[in-house]
Amino acid sequence: MYLKYEIKNKKLKELAERKAEEFKIDVDELIWRYVNRGLMEDSFDRDQLEELHSEEELKEINEALGLD
């Protein structure tokens, strides 16, 4: 299956790019890992999963999206 997507929110796009670079994967793989988490089991390594759901990471995502 091929899906075409575009991250329109500049801050969210930059966040995804930084996270992909940090994990040494491309943005597409990062996005698919998030999609797969919803479809199946968590596909992240345990350390990555814990880091992505840490208080600091969630705060950074909220700030990027402009959420309180």
Side-chain angles (χ1 to χ4, degrees):
M1 176 189 333
Y2 177 76
L3 297 176
K4 184 175 179 178
Y5 66 90
E6 177 183 358
I7 302 174
K8 293 183 179 183
N9 182 298
K10 184 179 177 183
K11 290 181 181 181
L12 183 58
K13 183 176 181 179
E14 290 171 357
L15 176 65
E17 290 169 347
R18 280 196 315 270
K19 281 298 151 190
E21 183 178 324
E22 181 180 326
F23 293 131
K24 297 178 178 35
I25 59 177
D26 60 25
V27 173
D28 284 338
E29 184 174 347
L30 181 76
I31 298 299
W32 276 110
R33 286 184 179 189
Y34 272 111
V35 169
N36 285 334
R37 280 187 40 235
L39 298 175
M40 300 184 303
E41 298 175 11
D42 288 335
S43 61
F44 285 100
D45 294 336
R46 186 76 177 151
D47 291 340
Q48 290 175 337
L49 179 66
E50 289 175 1
E51 181 179 340
L52 287 172
H53 291 87
S54 69
E55 289 297 320
E56 296 83 21
E57 186 68 24
L58 294 174
K59 182 180 178 195
E60 185 177 347
I61 291 169
N62 286 342
E63 287 175 359
L65 295 174
L67 302 174
D68 291 327

